[in-house]
């Protein structure tokens, strides 16, 4: 079991790209994590990481070992789990991360139905818009928007033709009107999404085949997609978000789509998994249920 713990620490360090980040996540000291990796290196007879004062990265041997170690850990953990399967044969725990707005607005009910159908499964759900390369959070699978998956992850397409659209509340439109051109957005209060140090304030549209790029601004910026959507419902400004997130508010009339003839940026939705071993029958069943619900 001590060797298994060392393998866990190696895998987390590789995915996070940081000894200190792994230590914080696992509630250990950096020295303990470093000692575990040194034990592994001594047993293997080669270095797993190239270290500097500011960074740590895998050696070629470390990259090969990471792939095998990840699959091996998954197999050992599956074998060690107590047998408590439902009628479908699905058991264990799903570690799932879902974008904030999409989870709250569309998917919580879908996920609840899935768990009711498969009582042998447990769920750890994270509603967050943050996910860096390699899964910095303790999750096995995640729903994320984007044309390409994060490096090293496997992407299963859910809604490949989804796009971002402009929306505002009827109250906002009654008071301030709707922009006639993309460039007119600079005269409006725009609700910008922020992720880490990046602010998504460059909005792109295709109008009659021509690309328009507009640097927008507004008094409110947020790092939670559900919050940006709530501000839009309250008439605080114009939002530029995934249509999937917005469909319930569009259907109820709480939000109105602006300029439907402007083609917004692609926002394909994918289910991301860490490796092929994560594509077990339970994950595949969840994927199919999500795909049907979002079709």
């Amino acid at each position: 079991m001590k060797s298994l713990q060392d393998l866990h620490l190696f895998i987390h360090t590789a995915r996070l790209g940081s000894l200190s980040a792994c230590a914080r996540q696992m509630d250990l000291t950096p020295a303990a994590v470093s000692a575990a990796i040194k034990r592994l290196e001594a047993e293997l007879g080669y270095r797993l990481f190239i270290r500097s004062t500011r960074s740590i990265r895998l050696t070629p041997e470390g990259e090969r070992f990471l792939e095998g170690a990840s699959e091996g850990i998954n197999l050992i953990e599956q074998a060690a789990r107590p047998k408590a399967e439902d009628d479908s044969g699905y058991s264990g725990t799903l570690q799932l991360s879902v974008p904030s707005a999409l989870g709250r607005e569309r998917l919580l009910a879908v996920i609840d139905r899935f768990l009711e159908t498969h009582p042998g499964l447990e769920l750890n759900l994270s509603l967050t818009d943050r996910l860096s390369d390699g899964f910095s959070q303790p999750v096995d699978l995640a729903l994320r928007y984007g044309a390409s998956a994060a490096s090293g992850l496997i992407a299963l397409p859910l809604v490949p033709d989804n796009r971002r659209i402009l929306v505002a509340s009827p109250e906002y439109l009654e008071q301030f009107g709707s922009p006639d051109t993309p460039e007119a957005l600079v005269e409006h209060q725009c609700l910008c999404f922020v992720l880490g140090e990046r602010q998504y304030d460059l909005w792109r549209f295709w109008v009659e085949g021509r690309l328009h790029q507009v640097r927008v601004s507004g008094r409110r910026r947020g790092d939670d997609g559900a919050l940006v959507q709530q501000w839009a419902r309250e008439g605080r400004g114009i939002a530029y978000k995934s249509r999937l997130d917005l469909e319930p508010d569009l259907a109820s009339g709480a939000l109105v789509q602006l300029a439907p003839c402007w083609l917004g940026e692609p926002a394909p939705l994918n289910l991301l998994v860490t490796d092929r071993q994560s594509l077990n029958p339970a994950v595949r069943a969840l994927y199919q249920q999500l795909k049907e619900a979002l079709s």
Side-chain angles (χ1 to χ4, degrees):
M1 288 300 155
K2 184 68 174 176
S3 297
L4 284 179
Q5 183 183 26
D6 291 351
L7 282 174
H8 271 296
L9 295 176
F10 160 69
I11 292 168
H12 279 289
T13 299
R15 289 177 175 168
L16 294 168
S18 167
L19 284 169
S20 58
C22 176
R24 286 194 301 270
Q25 189 178 98
M26 306 298 286
D27 197 22
L28 297 170
T29 65
V33 177
S34 178
I37 292 172
K38 287 179 180 178
R39 282 195 297 270
L40 275 178
E41 290 178 329
E43 291 180 21
L44 294 168
Y46 54 77
R47 295 177 65 187
L48 296 169
F49 291 103
I50 297 173
R51 301 173 178 84
S52 69
T53 55
R54 293 187 177 182
S55 65
I56 183 171
R57 61 185 176 86
L58 287 167
T59 63
E61 294 81 6
E63 291 178 356
R64 288 194 296 271
F65 184 68
L66 175 62
E67 182 177 355
S70 298
E71 293 182 2
I73 282 287
N74 286 332
L75 289 172
I76 292 170
E77 289 181 342
Q78 288 176 22
R81 287 192 192 112
K83 185 176 178 60
E85 298 183 345
D86 61 16
D87 292 339
S88 66
Y90 303 156
S91 64
T93 301
L94 293 176
Q95 308 266 4
L96 175 64
S97 175
V98 178
S100 174
L102 182 66
R104 289 181 170 89
E105 301 292 336
R106 297 290 306 274
L107 293 184
L108 286 181
V110 178
I111 294 169
D112 284 340
R113 288 197 300 271
F114 182 77
L115 289 177
E116 290 167 3
T117 305
H118 306 292
L121 288 172
E122 297 181 3
L123 173 70
N124 290 339
L125 179 63
S126 174
L127 293 177
T128 177
D129 296 305
R130 297 178 179 273
L131 187 71
S132 63
D133 287 357
F135 279 23
S136 62
Q137 303 156 343
V139 298
D140 303 313
L141 56 154
L143 270 68
R144 281 299 177 270
Y145 291 115
S148 59
S151 175
L153 303 178
I154 299 169
L156 305 177
L158 281 166
V159 188
D161 57 350
N162 183 54
R163 287 185 177 269
R164 293 184 174 88
I165 62 172
L166 281 176
V167 294
S169 70
E171 294 76 16
Y172 180 90
L173 296 175
E174 182 179 352
Q175 185 174 359
F176 299 104
S178 178
D180 297 325
T181 66
E183 288 71 25
L185 284 166
V186 299
E187 302 170 5
H188 287 264
Q189 288 292 321
C190 293
L191 304 168
C192 293
F193 179 67
V194 178
L195 189 58
E197 298 180 356
R198 182 177 177 186
Q199 180 170 301
Y200 291 83
D201 58 357
L202 183 63
W203 294 0
R204 299 178 175 87
F205 310 90
W206 284 262
V207 183
E208 296 181 349
R210 179 188 169 198
L211 175 62
H212 294 251
Q213 301 187 87
V214 185
R215 184 76 65 180
V216 301
S217 63
R219 296 177 58 210
R220 287 175 172 81
R221 293 169 290 278
D223 65 355
D224 183 282
L227 173 61
V228 171
Q229 193 162 331
Q230 177 183 329
W231 281 339
R233 284 194 298 264
E234 294 172 352
R236 309 295 185 183
I238 296 175
Y240 185 45
K241 286 178 56 61
S242 157
R243 174 179 284 278
L244 284 175
D245 299 353
L246 299 165
E247 281 178 346
D249 284 338
L250 293 171
S252 70
L255 292 173
V256 177
Q257 182 178 357
L258 312 184
C261 60
W262 302 355
L263 192 62
E265 295 178 65
L269 181 67
N270 298 308
L271 178 66
L272 305 181
V273 296
T274 53
D275 49 49
R276 293 287 177 188
Q277 194 63 41
S278 299
L279 292 174
N280 57 50
V283 170
R284 292 183 185 276
L286 176 60
Y287 169 65
Q288 289 300 325
Q289 187 153 334
L290 291 171
K291 194 170 184 179
E292 292 172 7
L294 293 171
S295 64

